Amino acid sequence: MADTAMYAAKEKGRNNYSFYSPEMTEYAVHYLTRENELRKALQQNEFKLFYQPQVDTKTGKFIGLESLIRWQTEKHGLMPASEIIPIAESSHLIISVGNWVLTETCRQLREWIDRGIPLLRIAVNISIRQLTDGKLPQFISDLLEKYHLPPDCLELEVTESCLQDDDICLLTLKKINGLGITISIDDFGTGYSCMGSLKQLPIQRLKIDQIFVKDIPKQEDDCAIVSAIIALGHQLHLKVIAEGVETLAQYNYLKNIHCDELQGYYFCIPMSAHDTEEYLISAAKSGNFEPLKQLPPH
Ligand code: C2E
Ligand code: MG
Ligand code: MG
Ligand code: MG
């Protein structure tokens, strides 16, 4: 309850003192109701994972997927992540939801490998609470063992807030990275990364936030920001991926300034597991699939 009220107050903005108001109760009730619905959804297996392809900029070939949660409801149809994650994050539910996402991602990957699809990398979004919980490295290492997966087929996407001098988060990320799982900073540029500490972080990839991609190549300031992020990433020997690529003009611009990888509606929208499988099969058949080098153990 405290978390729920805090969330309501936080949503009104920082430095905004909030005394009791009837809307707050309404808000809290909405959150509690939704939290209960989500708990039930988890028990009744109503969550689904959608997958969005990522491509190599130079070759245009498929190189990996990002898994994105959805909620299949009878009443409202398919609900987006924005209806699930903020509420799960304001309660302990995010741990169970996050564990479900990781488990389902690994289970699905093993199923695809068993059906002859080449090995690929899947990026999974991780919330800060999953990192402060401390059990994540063991959980992930158990999953890799259970589904016989090599560690480099998994990538964790964390936001800059997870990397701010929090000893527990950093220790957790270092342990996970030590397993051979890569870490990517999601929504890069929107948080408060300390430039100096970037080189000490256990990260391999920067993911440029779509807010900076939206108006390139027209918006000069955004072009400057995107170029600077790519230069910074490359100087630090990191790969740089841009999200939210919707147009050929954005694609060409990002290619010219040597952004390594791209993701967005221009290439593909997030798809159900079934549609993703068809996409993967067709990419593999046409030679448009750049598989991970390593063979999966049996
Ligand atoms: P994100 O990780 O930054 O994911 C990118 C979001 O942009 C996704 O929204 C994706 O569907 C959308 N997107 C992809 N291409 C384009 C494009 O070309 N244009 C535009 N306008 N949007 C595009 P989605 O799936 O609704 O997810 C929203 C956010 O929810 C994610 O942002 C991530 O922060 C969070 N999220 C999603 N799934 C999970 C999850 O399993 N666990 C956690 N902790 N968070 C998740
Ligand atoms: Mg992401
Ligand atoms: Mg993002
Ligand atoms: Mg985001």
Side-chain angles (χ1 to χ4, degrees):
M1 181 69 193
D3 267 2
T4 314
M6 207 169 77
Y7 190 89
K10 262 201 240 159
E11 276 234 320
K12 292 186 172 181
R14 258 167 218 263
N15 306 323
N16 197 336
Y17 290 95
S18 203
F19 294 100
Y20 172 81
S21 73
E23 296 95 76
M24 271 179 76
T25 315
E26 226 173 82
Y27 220 76
V29 168
H30 166 76
Y31 264 77
L32 283 180
T33 311
R34 187 42 68 79
E35 196 186 311
N36 282 331
E37 285 174 356
L38 290 179
R39 193 165 282 120
K40 241 189 252 162
L42 195 59
Q43 285 160 3
Q44 293 171 358
N45 214 11
E46 287 173 2
F47 291 131
K48 299 270 170 292
L49 287 185
F50 270 45
Y51 302 88
Q52 187 176 34
Q54 302 174 330
V55 303
D56 180 281
T57 314
K58 264 194 218 139
T59 62
K61 286 189 185 184
F62 166 86
I63 42 144
L65 296 169
E66 176 178 12
S67 70
L68 297 156
I69 196 168
R70 299 288 181 267
W71 176 20
Q72 187 70 60
T73 65
E74 270 188 16
K75 249 204 260 171
H76 314 287
L78 199 63
M79 303 277 270
S82 56
E83 292 286 333
I84 307 164
I85 297 302
I87 290 159
E89 278 180 343
S90 67
S91 72
H92 267 299
L93 206 54
I94 192 61
I95 304 288
S96 327
V97 171
N99 286 347
W100 179 83
V101 170
L102 280 162
T103 309
E104 177 55 15
T105 300
C106 292
R107 189 207 60 76
Q108 182 63 75
L109 192 52
R110 173 37 67 188
E111 189 182 304
W112 281 332
I113 293 168
D114 288 345
R115 291 206 205 152
I117 287 170
L119 188 62
L120 58 105
R121 181 187 79 213
I122 307 190
V124 178
N125 293 284
I126 298 288
S127 297
I128 190 162
R129 279 221 190 182
Q130 293 175 267
L131 296 177
T132 50
D133 181 58
K135 298 194 186 102
L136 197 62
Q138 191 59 51
F139 186 81
I140 292 179
S141 137
D142 291 347
L143 274 180
L144 293 179
E145 203 181 306
K146 178 174 178 196
Y147 291 104
H148 305 288
L149 295 170
D152 53 354
C153 67
L154 258 198
E155 175 154 296
L156 301 193
E157 291 194 3
V158 302
T159 53
E160 285 165 273
S161 56
C162 299
L163 300 165
Q164 275 166 32
D165 240 21
D166 185 322
D167 288 350
I168 302 173
C169 284
L170 278 189
L171 193 69
T172 306
L173 283 174
K174 275 182 186 152
K175 275 190 198 160
I176 292 170
N177 206 201
L179 295 172
I181 289 158
T182 51
I183 315 279
S184 167
I185 307 189
D186 203 352
D187 306 339
F188 188 75
T190 59
Y192 300 92
S193 278
C194 168
M195 292 299 156
S197 70
L198 266 184
K199 64 173 196 273
Q200 284 139 21
L201 293 173
I203 52 168
Q204 284 69 42
R205 198 171 265 100
L206 298 180
K207 194 164 189 183
I208 305 175
D209 193 82
Q210 44 185 279
I211 201 164
F212 304 118
V213 174
K214 205 162 101 4
D215 297 320
I216 57 170
K218 275 203 187 121
Q219 232 285 335
E220 284 177 18
D221 292 347
D222 287 338
C223 289
I225 292 169
V226 168
S227 304
I229 295 176
I230 293 169
L232 173 74
H234 288 170
Q235 287 289 321
L236 296 172
H237 309 290
L238 305 173
K239 291 273 187 201
V240 182
I241 179 165
E243 65 180 347
V245 181
E246 294 184 357
T247 67
L248 179 62
Q250 291 168 339
Y251 177 13
N252 284 334
Y253 183 79
L254 289 161
K255 194 173 182 174
N256 274 334
I257 59 171
H258 308 294
C259 187
D260 303 288
E261 297 162 3
L262 308 169
Q263 181 182 343
Y265 297 163
Y266 178 72
F267 303 97
C268 208
I269 58 166
M271 301 172 284
S272 68
H274 176 267
D275 291 351
T276 305
E277 187 171 327
E278 290 192 343
Y279 172 97
L280 295 173
I281 292 169
S282 124
K285 260 192 199 151
S286 61
N288 269 326
F289 192 129
E290 193 74 66
L292 278 178
K293 300 283 175 291
Q294 205 175 342
L295 287 170
H298 285 285

